[in-house]
Every structure is written in C-alpha cells, then in structure tokens.
Amino acid sequence: MKLLCLLLLLLTFLLAHETGADEILGGKEARRHSRPYMAFLDIKLCNDLFSCGGFLIRNDFVMTAAHCVGDFISVRLGAHNINKREETWQIINVTKQFPHPEYNAERLLNDIMLLKLEKKAKQTTAVRPIPLPSTSNSVLPGKECIIAGWGGTKLKSSGSDTLQEAEVRVTNPIYCKNFTCFDERSLLCVGTPKSIKTTFSGDSGGPLVCSGVAHGIVSYGNNKYPPSVFTKIAHYSSWINQILNAN
Ligand SMILES: *[C@@H]1O[C@H](CO)[C@@H](O)[C@H](O)[C@H]1NC(C)=O
Ligand SMILES: *[C@@H]1O[C@H](CO)[C@@H](O)[C@H](O)[C@H]1NC(C)=O
C-alpha cells in the first residue's frame, strides 16, 4: 500500500513536472506554410527519442524551451506534415545548444534555449525567421495571440501529423498564481479556465505569436486546461543578443 502511494505520488509529480503542454485542443489545421518560422525538433536524450516545437529567429538559430535539451537535436524547417516528406523540408543538425544558464528544472524558471544550426537555413516561402520583441516590450494581458504546433512531446506520441494552430489570449498573472513558482517578470500567463474552447497547450518550445512577433515560449501547464505558462521572451533580450552576437 505504501509503495503504491509512493508510486502514485511519483507519477503525479512526473506528470505535473513533465512539460504539461502536449497538444492543441480546439485548434485547427494551419494553412500550409503560413507559419514559416515553425521548427520541429527531433531530440535524442540517452536512449529516449522525443520532440519539441521551436522557431527560427535567425538563418542559423532556433529558439525553444530549455527543457527540450538533449544529447543530440536535429531541426526540421519548412514542414507542414511531419510524417510525409515534403519538398520544402530543410533538416539541419544542431551544433551547439545554449540553455539559459539559470534554467531551473524544478521551479521551471528561465525555460529558454537557443540552438545554433550547423549551417544557415535557406530562406524560402516555407522557411523564414520570425522577429523577437525589443527589450522589455512585452505583451499585455488581453492580447490575442496564436500558438502553433504538432503536439508531439515526451508524454504523448500521438500528436498531429499536420501543423495545428489556435488563438489564445494573454491573461492576468492572477490566473497563474496556482502555479507555485509563477513569476510574472519572466513568465506570461496564457488562457483562462473559462476559455476551454480556445484551449490548447501547444508543443513545448513552440512560440506564442502576437501581431507577427514571437513573445512567448510554451513552457508548462497542468496538462488538461488553461491557463498555461509561457517564457516571456522580452525579459531575456540581453541574454539572447549576447548569444546571437557572439555566435
Ligand atoms: C546529422 O547528424 C546525424 C547523426 O550524427 C548524421 O547521421 C547526419 O549525417 C547528420 N546530417 C548532416 C546533414 O550532417
Ligand atoms: C486554484 O486552485 C483551486 C483549488 O484547486 C481552484 O479552486 C481555483 O479555481 C484555482 N484558481 C485558478 C485561478 O485557477
């Protein structure tokens, strides 16, 4: 009995702490290549294979969540259906992973990572970087944004073949106070429990796009319903610029 409780506790802990964000519910299939910055990451960690979302921010750099770190990552750009090879695909290996130096896996803070690509992606109609917000110019509660992803994560292998997207609203940080380590300076609270219709979660590491700018990175949630927690990209501008300038 004791052992069972312990196992259940462990399972609950794992489920709560594994990236909560799995799939887009209430979303729809994105128009083919309408989000040319989207990246699908194939990640190898020990003997485990999993995937994350990400987004191209420079011809040779992809941004994602730090919890997507692996021993080896390859990036697929220009994809719509990830299970059917498309002419538009560009598959590029990552040569260097830059998780944020203060990434904290227990508190899920500073969940941001930059990936340097082995070679520059070729810009096409299906592959193009997305702009980032300028320093401290973040989105405010009430803003309607878009999330997109294929929904494949460690927890669920049953994602979607095609890119899905959903509209979500940035909400008051009060809605995220149930997440014990929520810090509104570095995180965005997205969706309210009432907004089930436009619920999602989005792939871990995928972008929150507001007016054509990537403002957030899907970090975690409670797995079932909103709100979810996103890394606030604007908070990390100086770290991002430092890495980009030095590499
Ligand atoms: C990427 O890395 C894998 C594994 O090391 C390797 O098999 C593959 O050839 C590499 N791809 C390119 C384009 O270098
Ligand atoms: C926080 O959790 C409590 C207890 O589970 C719940 O009743 C409440 O609705 C939650 N608040 C928010 C803002 O999600």
Side-chain angles (χ1 to χ4, degrees), residues 63-81:
M63 184 175 278
T64 184
H67 72 255
C68 296
V69 74
D71 298 323
F72 175 79
I73 303 183
S74 95
V75 168
R76 215 178 312 168
L77 300 164
H80 180 67
N81 184 332

Side-chain angles (χ1 to χ4, degrees), residues 123-199:
Q123 285 201 35
T124 64
T125 51
V127 177
R128 202 171 340 119
I130 185 169
L132 298 180
S134 55
T135 313
S136 67
N137 182 17
S138 197
V139 277
L140 298 173
K143 182 80 177 170
E144 285 274 9
C145 303
I146 297 274
I147 52 154
W150 289 271
T153 68
K154 261 188 200 181
L155 274 183
K156 276 195 188 168
S157 48
S158 60
S160 166
D161 287 350
T162 54
L163 184 66
Q164 306 288 306
E165 65 180 32
E167 264 182 30
V168 293
R169 193 185 288 274
V170 177
T171 51
N172 193 304
I174 283 174
Y175 288 103
C176 282
K177 73 175 195 302
N178 277 11
F179 297 111
T180 47
C181 294
F182 187 82
D183 173 6
E184 62 180 281
R185 286 170 308 159
S186 62
L187 295 168
L188 293 168
C189 186
V190 175
T192 66
K194 285 183 202 139
S195 63
I196 296 292
K197 193 167 64 87
T198 49
T199 315

